[in-house]
Amino acid sequence: MSPSEEVKPDTTTAVALLEQLANTDNLPADDVRGIISAATRLYAQACTQAGYELPPLAPDVATTDAMMLACALLRSQDLTPFDMAMWFSRGARHS
């Protein structure tokens, strides 16, 4: 396959599968970690390509869910709220 024949990923199916997994009670922690890690790299790459911070979440994601992930991400990288404040000033606010 030549570069011009690159297959476009089926993101609609991927998102639907992830939504199904969100309602699964017995997903192993390592699987969740792999999904979040891949999504993190996907988001960072998309922002880099766009040249600005993209809105990361759909409007229907609960604030509690977003904060649970934000806190877990900080802890996973051994960061503090102070560290986050320094990075926070780098990004643009979404309207």
Side-chain angles (χ1 to χ4, degrees), residues 6-53:
E6 185 177 329
V7 176
K8 183 178 183 210
D10 184 358
T11 56
T12 303
T13 300
V15 170
L17 178 58
L18 289 169
E19 289 290 347
Q20 288 177 353
L21 289 173
N23 295 316
T24 301
D25 292 334
N26 58 353
L27 195 60
D30 285 344
D31 291 354
V32 174
R33 184 181 307 111
I35 291 166
I36 297 298
S37 296
T40 300
R41 288 188 290 274
L42 172 69
Y43 177 76
Q45 178 64 21
C47 289
T48 298
Q49 287 180 343
Y52 58 93
E53 184 179 290

Side-chain angles (χ1 to χ4, degrees), residues 57 61-71 73:
L57 300 173
V61 174
T63 301
T64 300
D65 294 344
M67 289 307 299
M68 286 176 67
L69 177 59
C71 290
L73 289 170

